[in-house]
Amino acid sequence: MGTQLFDLTGRRALVTGSSQGIGRALARGLKEAGAAVVLNGRDETKLRKAADALGDVHVLAFDVTDHAATRAAIDGFEAEVGPIDILVNNAGMQHRTPLEDFPADAFERLLRTNISSVFNAGQAVARHMIARGAGKIINIASVQTALARPGIAPYTATKGAVGNLTKGMATDWAKYGLQCNAIAPGYFDTPLNAALVDDPAFSAWLEKRTPAGRWGKVEELVGACIFLSSAASSFVNGHVLYVDGGITASL
């Protein structure tokens, strides 16, 4: 069987939050593995720009934090274009403030963006996957699913929830033929981490703390995504795959 296990030809993948960063890198990787790709975000201008760069992809602009809008967009796409075989729940945000000063509105925004979005898109797509008896859902968790760091306690809470929601999805939906897993990136050079990448002291700390001794490159997440999207992971369910240069393995 060889590489056929990882071939995504004939599959269609929706990647949320895919106008930049990890989402766009995963969309590109899935496309190169043979999948038809659907880009998602709230800003259609940014999406169109990303689509122009990737070439021959669908664009589906909607707000994943809005349950009704998410379901309407996904139901409409399935009816008009065809099935979504793979969902990558990548949309997310960060807010860095000491916990004792953390604004309540920022906390609520993190909950909506990092957790509600996974529920909203996951449920909307799963309803169609269940009817077909097959589907792949990949949630983007974080090294913060397992570890905490000062100043981002609410973010850590949301990513812990993503890990457990992934397990719950697998527990409820594996019997219908769905595989629901998560990828937990370590520290990657992305727009979300720009402030940290630009901080020499933090980068020096990270290089010492990470066994691999460096920041990750977004392209290094693609292999894990293809694996979890493909037939190669047909009996992998409820798993959180850390792609972190060894940071969760060492003290």
Side-chain angles (χ1 to χ4, degrees), residues 17-204:
S18 47
S19 61
Q20 64 181 9
I22 288 173
R24 185 161 67 176
L26 295 181
R28 182 185 297 278
L30 291 170
K31 183 173 183 288
E32 290 174 352
V37 169
V38 186
L39 302 182
N40 159 261
R42 288 178 295 185
D43 187 333
E44 190 156 0
T45 301
K46 286 178 68 175
L47 276 180
R48 294 288 175 190
K49 187 175 180 180
D52 289 343
L54 291 177
D56 193 25
V57 296
H58 293 281
V59 168
L60 191 59
F62 63 90
D63 182 355
V64 286
T65 70
D66 183 327
H67 185 269
T70 299
R71 183 170 182 184
I74 287 170
D75 287 353
F77 185 90
E78 287 252 352
E80 295 166 18
V81 180
I84 295 167
D85 307 292
I86 301 158
L87 168 65
V88 181
N89 274 314
N90 169 74
M93 66 168 292
Q94 175 64 285
H95 188 101
R96 298 179 178 91
T97 305
L99 184 57
E100 64 272 20
D101 299 319
F102 210 93
D105 60 340
F107 181 74
E108 294 295 332
R109 195 160 57 248
L110 276 171
L111 294 179
R112 291 194 303 271
T113 306
N114 294 357
I115 304 174
S116 296
S117 65
V118 175
F119 169 78
N120 293 343
Q123 185 188 68
V125 170
R127 284 173 166 150
H128 297 280
M129 291 177 170
I130 288 167
R132 291 190 288 267
K136 301 278 192 174
I137 296 177
I138 301 159
N139 301 323
I140 303 303
S142 168
V143 68
Q144 263 74 50
T145 299
L147 302 173
R149 192 175 65 77
I152 57 168
Y155 178 85
T156 301
T158 66
K159 289 303 184 177
V162 169
N164 271 354
L165 182 53
T166 300
K167 294 174 185 179
M169 287 177 169
T171 302
D172 275 17
W173 296 337
K175 63 187 175 186
Y176 299 116
L178 278 63
Q179 286 90 51
C180 306
N181 297 287
I183 297 171
Y187 285 89
F188 280 74
D189 186 352
T190 67
L192 199 66
N193 284 330
L196 300 181
V197 175
D198 293 340
D199 182 344
F202 185 88
S203 285

